[in-house]
Amino acid sequence: MARTLDEWLSFLTSQMDKRAETITLLRDYTTGNARLPEMGPNLRKAWREFQRRSRSNAAAMIVDALAERLVPNGLTVGNVDSSATRAASRIWRDNRLDVGVADAIADAVTLGCGYLLVSQDEDGHAVITRENPEVMYVEPDPVRPWRALAAIKVWRDMPSKTDYLVMWAGGLCVTYTRDAFDHDRLLRRVSGQWTLQTGSISTYDGAVPVVILENKNGRGEFENHLDLIDRINWQILQRLVIIAMQAFRQRALRQSETSPGVPTEDEQGNEVDYQKLFEPGPGALWELPPGVEIWESQVTDINQILTAVKDDWRELAASTKTPLSIMLPDAANQSASGAEAPQKSLVDKARDRINRFKPALAVMMVKALQVEGVELGGQTVEVLFEPPHAVSMTEKYASAKMAREAGESLETIQRNILGYSPEQVAQDKQRRSEEQMAQALLLAAQTAGTPTQGEQEAAPEPVGAP
């Protein structure tokens, strides 16, 4: 059912406000600001500072392990040599999409969604920007989740103390403003008190010019495991508390049932300060009444806590399909067979995310080419990714050697294993042809400059030779 501009504005801003708390929470977990273990209402600032030391950055490890395998490395429009491919490559280069797309992918695996906005500059060139989900909300098409039905973007202009909101809906792009009287308000609430700017309404063709990178189930990679991460942080806190308490051993006076105990007053009737009297020191010697002895607290064994934390790390690694060697350095030397299964799980997950993101990135490039008036003529746009199964150069070239021995062509190996872009494959092919031509010319020159055996025998002797 079609909505008016006011209805779209009310709906989109309310949805953005509902999502804001989750977005902030997930982002905090990857920036070292995860929830602190529980604390009472009367804890001092020093205790809060102590608690912060118990936070691990497990969420960032999970995100980085996956995002590092989602690397775009080229695109084609029909074929590598087409004019549309060259135009798309220029758009990708001019908009620094190696960085922008990587940031949008990181948003998707962290928050469940990432946004890329396609617009046009004053020169008519396509502009593609990664938009932060903290300041943008996009309503997805339920059938094609990478396609936007409507979108809003908000920001604050501090010099003018004005909040701005741009909305794309129903073929119209409109701008709203409001006074930024509360400096924290934009972070807490987007809904309310927006005024339409006169003359700000413009039109756009087709769908909303925002592309959605939606992660699996629309959730961050670690979003379903926040309780497990909190449990790890809580156990780390308990370990720190034990270590801190044991830095100062507790002592007490313990007396038998028949002992009269220690007097509370001295001979002059003054109260005895035993804390001062039994002040520890290198040469201190204490005389105690009969039947009274000193009790001293003993060291608590924290090995069980350390083991429990490692078990939780292993559970988190298995649940998120992240290799354990990334989370626990002492697991780097595990057997090859033990490391193979989680590595394969991570590769399978990376391949799944690539298949989810590729259609959205292709739509992004189609929109950008349309902005610049490039005719596609029915050609297919495809954004290519590096193979997720091999990251290091050692892995890539070892796999390439085996594939070459199995009879695969060089160009196939370069694309599917080494991860060359189409431009790199074509450039390498040209350079190899040039090298082969140069070697052939050199061989021909050497052959032409060497006299045959008959020519050497028939050659006249030099004048004046003996």
Side-chain angles (χ1 to χ4, degrees), residues 87-198:
S89 299
R90 175 184 53 77
I91 293 172
W92 189 283
R93 179 201 64 212
D94 293 348
N95 287 279
R96 299 175 64 244
L97 290 183
D98 285 341
V99 176
V101 171
D103 289 343
I105 288 175
D107 288 338
V109 298
T110 301
L111 309 174
C113 61
Y115 302 135
L116 291 162
L117 172 65
V118 182
S119 57
Q120 189 176 36
D121 64 12
E122 59 277 5
D123 297 326
H125 294 151
V127 177
I128 304 175
T129 55
R130 167 256 185 176
E131 299 298 332
N132 199 320
E134 279 86 342
V135 296
M136 175 174 266
Y137 175 78
V138 181
E139 181 66 15
D141 188 324
V143 178
R144 291 173 289 179
W146 60 85
R147 183 177 182 270
L149 295 180
I152 56 171
K153 177 183 178 180
V154 295
W155 72 93
R156 170 162 294 172
D157 181 34
M158 291 304 301
S160 64
K161 296 183 179 180
T162 303
D163 290 340
Y164 288 87
L165 182 150
V166 176
M167 181 175 71
W168 297 265
L172 299 177
C173 177
V174 295
T175 301
Y176 295 84
T177 60
R178 70 181 181 188
D179 293 333
F181 58 87
D182 185 345
H183 287 260
D184 294 330
R185 178 179 176 184
L186 185 63
L187 301 178
R188 297 201 311 265
R189 185 168 61 88
V190 177
S191 303
Q193 300 186 357
W194 292 104
T195 301
L196 177 65
Q197 293 299 293
T198 304

Side-chain angles (χ1 to χ4, degrees), residues 364-378:
M364 173 197 71
M365 291 310 305
V366 169
K367 291 179 179 293
L369 291 169
Q370 289 174 346
V371 166
E372 298 200 355
V374 177
E375 296 294 336
L376 297 180

Side-chain angles (χ1 to χ4, degrees), residues 428-441:
D428 181 71
K429 184 177 181 179
Q430 180 181 354
R431 288 177 177 174
R432 283 187 285 108
S433 298
E434 292 173 353
E435 290 178 357
Q436 292 171 0
M437 181 65 71
Q439 291 175 357
L441 291 175

Side-chain angles (χ1 to χ4, degrees), residues 73 80-81 384 387 400 403-404 407-433 436:
N73 73 332
V80 174
D81 299 326
L384 307 173
R404 190 62 172 168
E408 289 193 29
S409 67
L410 180 58
E411 292 187 14
T412 301
I413 293 172
Q414 289 175 332
R415 282 295 309 133
N416 298 336
I417 297 178
L418 298 181
Y420 284 12
S421 66
E423 294 81 6
Q424 288 175 318
V425 172
Q427 189 179 57
D428 181 71
K429 184 177 181 179
Q430 180 181 354
R431 288 177 177 174
R432 283 187 285 108
S433 298
Q436 292 171 0

Side-chain angles (χ1 to χ4, degrees), residues 77-78 375-381:
V77 184
E375 296 294 336
L376 297 180
Q379 299 179 96
T380 300
V381 178

